[in-house]
Every structure is written in C-alpha cells, then in structure tokens.
Amino acid sequence: MIIYFLILLLFAVGLYGLLSQRNLVKLIISMSILECAADLLLIAAGWRANGSAPVIAAGQDAGQFALSSVDPLPQAMVLVSIAIGLALLLLLTAIALRLYHEYGTYDIGEIRRLRG
Amino acid sequence: MPELLTLLLVFMIIAAILAIESEDLTSAVVSMGAVGFGLSVCFILLRAPEVALAQIVVEVVVLIVLLRGIVSVKPKTGPEKPDRTGLYLGVVLVGLLLVLSVYVAGEFPQLGEPSFARFPDSAGETYLKQGLALTGAANSVAAVLLDFRGLDSLGEVAVLFAALLGVMLLVRKNPRLEIKVEAESGPNGAPVEKGAAKVSEGEPK
C-alpha cells in the first residue's frame, strides 16, 4: 500500500513540475518523471511476492511456471512505453532546441512575449 | 523487499524534487538521471530484467540528449520572476491528487498478488502457460512482444520512425535559408554549401 502511495507521490511531483515550471527543459524533465511513475505503477501491479522473472527455466513445467512467475503483460507494455517515451523526449528536445535558436531563451513566458 | 523498494522510491522522489526545483539546469538533468537509474533498480527488484536493461539504455541516451540541449544555454541575465498562477494551480491540483490517491492506493490489489492471478485464463496467465509451446520463446516478455502482440511492436516502430522524421526536420539548418541560397547560386551549384554555411553564420542571434 505504501509503495503505491509513494509511486503516486512521484507522479504528483512530476505533475507539479509540469504545472509550475516555466523553463522548457524543466518541463521535459517533469514529463519524463511522470512517465517513470506510470511505468513503475504498471510493473508493481504485476509483481508477485517471491516470484521469478518471466523466463522459463529448461525443463520447468509450464503450469508450475505460471504459478510462480510475475505477470509478463505489463512488462511488455512498459517496454513499448519506454521506447515511445524516448522518441517523445527526442522530439520535445528538438522542438526546444529549435525554439532556443529562434528566441534565445527557454522561458515559455519570454517566448510568448517575443512572438507578439 | 518492499522495504528496499520504499527506500528507493523515497530516493527517487527526493531526486525528482531536486530536478524540478534546482536553479541550475545541469544539476536538474543529472538529478533526473538519478530518478531514471533508481527506476531501473526498482525494475530489477520487481523481477523485470528486460525492462531494467531498456530503462538503463534509454536513460543514458536521455541524459546525453538533454545535456546537448542545455550545453549552449547562456546564463540568465535578470532575476526571474516566478509564475504565481502556475505555482498555485500546481499546488492545488497536486494536493487534490494526493488526497484522492490515498483512497485509490487503498483500492489497489495487495502488492505482491498480481491481479492476473485472481482471474482464471487471464491474458498474462495464458502467455505464461503457452508461451513456450506456441512460440518457442523461453522468455515470456519476448514472446508477448514479438509474437502474441507483434502488431503492437509494429505500431511502436511506426511511432519511433515518425518521431525521428520530426527530429530530422527540426534539427537541420534553417531550410528556408538553404532554399533561397540554392536559388540564388544558379546553375553552377558548387558554392551552395559554402553559401548556406555563410548565411547561417550571419544569421542574427
């Protein structure tokens, strides 16, 4: 229970950063922290106490394996999510760099002022 | 095990607060790296080795990319006035989220009892039972990614490709300037590269 609450606290820290910060790099970092919390929540939901990694040993019975392993489905989904998170961060950083070259600042308030 | 996980999570939360609140962008990026590497240790503790490996690789790339993003940033000149509206909105919304999360955390299934174990013939159990027989992969995660849910992986690759196309469009030299110089240089297209470099150098800062 305390684990779930701490993961949600991490999520809240990321959300706070996303809402309160004005620097584009800080916003990207907050987004990344949000992603970390979501991934960890999914993996924690599929964890089995004293379970094994979802890799079947040679000669192990499949039915026995299904009773002792952690859930492979959230792990597969989190793997996809991590790769997509990397693509998202690359795109966001490219946009931020482009904005920096155009306006000479990472501050979103400053960028809005310079545009008008 | 949950005690170690709790300690790691507290460490990650402190690093996340440091990353968000620190004045210096370099220390913010390094603190975010601490969050990411702590996350990969959490994955190892939760018996997800592939995810932990992927997380380490991704975190290294993220650190390099973000450091590239802040390496040319000039130090701020004037004192920055904080954005009060965003700050108050953030505090209110995060407080609301925390109050709700106390209830939500109570509704979650007990940690250590995966929800798939309570339902017979759930997807996760089927993958575990029949993964080896149907796909020949000893690793159930690989069996799910590459076989049972191969179309998901195809979509993931499509998203990665689209994102990289966007990055390539964004990080090249100003396309409009290059086109203009190319048009001016006429038929003997040799000086195009030189001209483009000159124009982009003379670009107003």
Side-chain angles (χ1 to χ4, degrees):
Chain A
M1 228 41 63
I2 182 86
I3 303 271
Y4 285 130
F5 181 71
L6 285 175
I7 295 173
L8 287 171
L9 193 62
L10 187 64
F11 190 87
V13 170
L15 185 65
Y16 167 76
L18 212 53
L19 287 169
S20 69
Q21 296 298 313
R22 294 173 54 179
N23 189 310
L24 277 173
V25 176
K26 291 285 187 67
L27 289 179
I28 295 174
I29 289 175
S30 309
M31 194 115 182
S32 190
I33 290 170
L34 271 180
E35 250 174 49
C36 285
D39 289 350
L40 190 53
L41 184 67
L42 280 177
I43 294 281
W47 181 57
R48 190 198 295 269
N50 301 318
S52 66
V55 182
I56 192 165
Q60 195 178 8
D61 178 47
Q64 198 66 35
F65 173 59
L67 289 179
S68 69
S69 167
V70 298
D71 194 349
L73 190 52
Q75 297 196 9
M77 287 180 168
V78 167
L79 264 178
V80 173
S81 148
I82 285 175
I84 291 191
L86 175 65
L88 176 74
L89 187 127
L90 285 179
L91 194 56
L92 283 177
T93 313
I95 292 173
L97 267 176
R98 196 61 199 248
L99 280 171
Y100 188 78
H101 279 297
E102 295 286 330
Y103 294 103
T105 176
Y106 271 139
D107 191 309
I108 49 173
E110 196 78 356
I111 289 171
R112 193 182 297 137
R113 192 176 64 78
L114 287 172
R115 196 192 57 185
Chain B
M1 173 82 87
E3 295 80 18
L4 198 51
L5 204 58
T6 313
L7 266 179
L8 263 172
L9 266 168
V10 171
F11 166 74
M12 282 167 69
I13 289 169
I14 292 172
I17 292 172
L18 275 180
I20 286 171
E21 286 300 328
S22 101
E23 290 287 319
D24 184 27
L25 282 184
T26 314
S27 53
V29 169
V30 172
S31 303
M32 199 209 74
V35 177
F37 287 119
L39 181 69
S40 80
V41 179
C42 286
F43 285 153
I44 292 176
L45 288 180
L46 291 170
R47 296 285 184 272
E50 291 92 2
V51 189
L53 286 177
Q55 175 65 31
I56 287 180
V57 173
V58 163
E59 199 57 39
V60 170
V61 176
V62 162
L63 278 183
I64 293 170
V65 167
L66 278 182
L67 282 176
R68 169 66 190 86
I70 64 173
V71 79
S72 56
V73 175
K74 293 184 285 281
K76 280 193 290 275
T77 46
E80 186 185 346
K81 62 175 203 302
D83 183 8
R84 290 289 168 199
T85 345
L87 196 68
Y88 293 146
L89 188 68
V91 168
V92 168
L93 274 177
V94 167
L96 193 68
L97 182 81
L98 282 181
V99 171
L100 289 178
S101 74
V102 172
Y103 294 106
V104 173
E107 294 291 319
F108 276 139
Q110 190 75 36
L111 188 76
E113 281 175 27
S115 47
F116 83 110
R118 288 183 300 169
F119 306 106
D121 290 335
S122 63
E125 201 181 331
T126 314
Y127 295 150
L128 283 176
K129 269 184 185 156
Q130 304 183 354
L132 184 59
L134 289 180
T135 68
N139 188 335
S140 301
V141 177
V144 173
L145 268 182
L146 300 177
D147 214 306
F148 290 116
R149 289 176 183 257
L151 280 178
D152 270 8
S153 300
L154 183 66
E156 174 202 347
V157 173
V159 170
L160 284 179
F161 182 67
L164 283 182
L165 273 186
V167 171
M168 278 172 62
L169 274 176
L170 283 166
V171 297
R172 66 179 176 178
K173 291 267 161 50
N174 194 334
R176 261 175 284 167
L177 279 178
E178 275 173 21
I179 290 167
K180 216 170 84 183
V181 172
E182 212 166 334
E184 278 169 2
S185 72
N188 53 341
V192 168
E193 271 303 308
K194 227 169 146 189
K198 218 180 273 172
V199 168
S200 60
E201 266 172 23
E203 211 177 331
K205 290 282 146 71

